[in-house]
């Protein structure tokens, strides 16, 4: 990918796309996904890693609940990465990541990921450019390891929300009792660092793009969910999986 | 390292080396090691990974007991790798290895290691040459990750025993009650594959040599132990470590 400019990408669905039609199509894909995931688990040859990144309020939790959490929980694991613990910091930055890499037959979802080590850390200058370059090389090595040595298919989604939509969603967290728990007083401070976050994401897409990132317009949940459901369905369908026969 | 020919390397100490003098020197080094390990732990900036490889009967356990197991067990962990479990096989071959990578301040010893995935597996043709090449690249990436991203200093020792000495040691396991538990009827079958094992080790040294392997003459335990103790002492001494001051 040549360097993308995130501010030039539309965070909304194409104008002529019908919301109800799209939602109905997504529902059908979710049924397909349920069957395909069962086949992935039964065959036990491939594994899938889904990385979800995005700014606060971009709707990471919603995608996990509405699309990825819809499949059999025995075959789908979700790991949310927070700030590293003291124990995690005493290891290389991929140590806590590798531990949760998917076993064959499994789908592993990362809500935030190893990419935070070249995003939030760079924005706050905890990580200099030289370290960031080395980390990017290590990330590429690591993703190649999973792909080449465990049949891991990696989908990376960046949820592309507009600063206006983000502000609205963060403000809602202050008003709605059911959303207040998600509010963190630091969120608005982070939002002020928007431009530098975008720059670091653009740098990340330019240097860690194998497999390629999907930039998902995320101002409308129904559109975001349709893209992610479709991408996973297309991936799984393309694997040409077979139910294994009786065990001998 | 250009390709070494193991059969041309002497598995014994230089003739003029005095056994008693060497043992006395090793004893002094072990005292130093105890202090240096304490400093490594206290400072908490560096980590050390010691990989021990060698044929059956080459004395891996002895090195661990007599040299590495002599330090504070709180700061020295030993992991023995056996044939992978079903769970481990459902991940990439480095997954079970990364989990045991040393935290800062720690010394981690691997009794056998990720190298078995390009040794025993190749000897038995469970792993073809193309896969072996890819694994070697992944091993190099992985060792670079530990070195660059967790200040991990890696020492790799191959215990170079002669086939004659090996045969004697394996035979002893059948005779001595205290050693019988180590006997495995497959050991003698493996010993018949000596030449192909040597070839695979030589190929491993040629392709995974950063950091460099130390080939340790291992027919005499006192000499083997002196080399390993000295190498670890020299490494730790070279780190220029300092006790941290009071916590603020």
């Amino acid at each position: 990918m040549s360097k993308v400019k995130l501010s030039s990408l539309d965070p909304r669905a194409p104008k002529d796309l019908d919301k109800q039609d799209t939602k109905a199509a997504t529902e059908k894909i979710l049924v397909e996904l349920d069957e395909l995931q069962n086949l992935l688990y039964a065959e036990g040859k491939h594994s899938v890693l889904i990385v979800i990144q995005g700014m606060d309020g971009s709707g990471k939790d919603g995608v996990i609940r509405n699309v990825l959490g819809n499949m059999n929980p025995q075959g789908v694991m979700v790991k949310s990465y927070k700030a590293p613990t003291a124990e995690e910091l005493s290891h290389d930055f991929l140590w806590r990541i590798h531990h949760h890499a998917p076993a064959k037959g499994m789908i592993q979802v990362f809500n935030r990921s190893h990419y935070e080590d070249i995003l939030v850390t760079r924005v706050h200058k905890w990580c200099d450019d030289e370290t960031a370059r080395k980390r990017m090389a290590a990330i590429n090595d690591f993703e190649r390891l999973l792909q080449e040595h465990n049949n891991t298919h990696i989908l990376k989604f960046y949820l592309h929300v507009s600063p206006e939509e983000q502000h609205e969603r963060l403000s809602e967290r202050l008003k709605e009792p059911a959303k207040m728990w998600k509010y963190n007083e630091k969120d608005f401070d982070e939002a002020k660092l928007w431009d530098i976050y975008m720059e670091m994401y653009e740098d990340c897409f330019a240097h860690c793009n194998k497999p390629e990132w999907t930039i998902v317009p995320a101002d409308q949940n129904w559109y975001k969910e349709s893209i992610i459901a479709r991408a996973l369905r297309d991936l799984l369908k393309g694997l040409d999986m077979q139910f294994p026969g009786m065990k001998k």
Side-chain angles (χ1 to χ4, degrees), chain A:
Chain A
M1 193 189 282
S2 57
K3 203 144 183 166
V4 295
K5 194 78 191 146
L6 283 170
S7 60
S8 71
L9 298 181
D10 194 347
R12 299 182 62 83
K15 294 252 183 312
D16 56 349
L17 196 71
D18 185 81
K19 179 176 172 180
Q20 292 316 319
D21 287 355
T22 304
K23 286 183 92 164
T26 302
E27 281 307 312
K28 281 189 191 156
I29 293 174
L30 292 182
V31 174
E32 276 184 272
L33 274 182
D34 207 37
E35 288 166 10
L36 285 163
Q37 179 274 321
N38 185 42
L39 180 53
L40 179 86
Y41 187 82
E43 194 194 44
K45 286 189 180 170
H46 300 269
S47 54
V48 176
L49 174 62
I50 301 173
V51 173
I52 313 271
Q53 285 286 156
M55 299 291 283
D56 289 323
S58 61
K60 298 184 287 297
D61 295 341
V63 166
I64 292 167
R65 196 173 54 246
N66 300 326
V67 178
L68 307 170
N70 219 45
M71 294 171 282
N72 185 344
Q74 194 170 306
V76 184
M77 321 264 280
V78 178
K79 170 67 186 170
S80 293
Y81 284 99
K82 315 282 182 197
T85 63
E87 189 195 11
E88 289 166 350
L89 283 173
S90 76
H91 288 276
D92 68 85
F93 74 106
L94 292 171
W95 180 77
R96 66 178 191 153
I97 307 293
H98 205 166
H99 186 59
H100 291 279
K104 287 187 190 72
M106 298 295 289
I107 296 176
Q108 175 71 53
V109 181
F110 284 173
N111 184 353
R112 302 187 185 276
S113 66
H114 43 300
Y115 283 100
E116 291 297 334
D117 292 292
I118 53 166
L119 292 166
V120 63
T121 52
R122 291 187 85 187
V123 168
H124 291 281
K125 314 274 185 212
W126 304 323
C127 166
D128 61 27
D129 288 349
E130 194 197 333
T131 307
R133 287 286 169 269
K134 281 187 181 173
R135 287 187 183 177
M136 287 169 174
I139 286 173
N140 291 335
D141 291 342
F142 173 67
E143 293 185 358
R144 191 170 53 247
L145 170 70
L146 302 187
Q147 293 173 87
E148 288 192 354
H149 296 274
N150 207 37
N151 285 339
T152 305
H153 305 271
I154 307 179
L155 292 174
K156 301 190 283 198
F157 296 108
Y158 170 69
L159 306 189
H160 178 50
V161 79
S162 64
E164 298 74 25
E165 178 67 23
Q166 183 204 38
H167 191 267
E168 192 162 315
R169 291 183 190 175
L170 294 183
S171 305
E172 258 175 39
R173 291 183 183 174
L174 282 172
K175 288 180 235 152
E176 286 191 32
K179 291 187 175 173
M180 273 178 198
W181 66 276
K182 285 190 147 193
Y183 173 72
N184 182 323
E185 59 178 333
K186 284 189 193 143
D187 289 350
F188 284 97
D189 293 338
E190 288 293 299
K192 287 181 200 146
L193 301 166
W194 188 272
D195 290 346
I196 172 90
Y197 264 108
M198 293 305 104
E199 201 184 304
M200 294 306 145
Y201 266 111
E202 288 161 5
D203 200 40
C204 156
F205 301 150
H207 290 93
C208 297
N209 208 34
K210 203 177 165 190
E212 210 170 315
W213 281 89
T214 303
I215 296 169
V216 184
D219 274 9
Q220 296 144 296
N221 289 329
W222 58 271
Y223 186 57
K224 172 189 71 178
E225 290 168 9
S226 78
I227 288 180
I228 291 174
R230 198 174 295 267
L232 180 57
R233 191 269 316 263
D234 291 350
L235 165 70
L236 294 175
K237 251 193 143 165
L239 296 184
D240 190 29
M241 298 181 286
Q242 307 283 341
F243 280 104
M246 297 275 283
K247 274 188 187 144
K248 278 166 201 160

